[in-house]
């Protein structure tokens, strides 16, 4: 449990999911597999993922995993997302991935898995 949440104890959960970028916003780097480029250059393996409460207090943080290139519909790159030790029981959470705008998600949405996509398919 993170000390940043005031040391509260109680049930916690792990949020999982994926972040996918489609189209010309995807590139490849020899040591990192696929990565986002230009406006999505902050999306790559190791990009920080934060979960905050609605007041903006950080509850937990994780990272994006290694990107998986795809060619089903144009070029794409998909990174697995995992954030552990999120305090359970809140109605809403804020999700921040890299430099992307924070997204408001319900507790149910985080429990069920978050699948986000950017760019054009």
């Amino acid at each position: 449990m993170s000390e940043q949440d005031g040391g509260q104890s109680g049930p916690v959960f792990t949020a999982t999911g994926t972040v996918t970028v489609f189209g010309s916003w995807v590139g490849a780097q020899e040591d990192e597999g696929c990565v986002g480029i230009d406006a999505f250059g902050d999306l790559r393996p190791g990009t920080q993922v934060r979960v905050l409460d609605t007041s903006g207090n950080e509850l937990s943080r994780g990272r994006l995993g290694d990107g998986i290139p795809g060619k089903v519909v144009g070029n794409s790159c998909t990174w697995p997302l995992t954030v552990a030790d999120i305090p359970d029981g809140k109605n809403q959470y804020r999700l921040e991935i890299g430099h992307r705008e924070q997204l408001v998600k319900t507790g149910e949405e985080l429990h069920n898995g978050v699948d986000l996509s950017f760019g054009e398919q």
Side-chain angles (χ1 to χ4, degrees):
M1 175 71 56
S2 169
E3 290 301 314
Q4 294 174 344
D5 64 4
Q8 297 174 353
S9 61
V12 295
F13 69 99
T14 298
T16 61
T18 59
V19 176
T20 302
V21 173
F22 292 97
S24 60
W25 303 106
V26 176
Q29 291 190 351
E30 189 173 314
D31 60 339
E32 293 185 311
C34 58
V35 296
I37 57 174
D38 296 330
F40 295 96
D42 61 321
L43 299 178
R44 60 188 57 246
T47 293
Q48 182 174 272
V49 178
R50 297 189 325 145
V51 175
L52 306 100
D53 64 18
T54 54
S55 298
N57 300 306
E58 183 176 294
L59 301 174
S60 189
R61 70 173 68 179
R63 301 222 174 257
L64 295 181
D66 290 340
I68 302 162
K71 300 247 183 230
V72 177
V73 183
N75 292 327
S76 68
C77 187
T78 300
W79 300 271
L81 168 157
T82 304
V83 182
D85 297 325
I86 302 169
D88 205 356
K90 300 192 181 298
N91 291 327
Q92 291 186 324
Y93 297 85
R94 291 184 185 181
L95 181 64
E96 181 182 83
I97 301 167
H99 301 302
R100 310 286 104 210
E101 185 175 330
Q102 291 179 359
L103 304 169
V104 176
K105 296 291 182 184
T106 65
E108 182 178 358
E109 287 173 316
L110 288 184
H111 276 278
N112 291 334
V114 177
D115 294 309
L116 304 172
S117 61
F118 302 98
E120 295 184 23
Q121 295 186 24

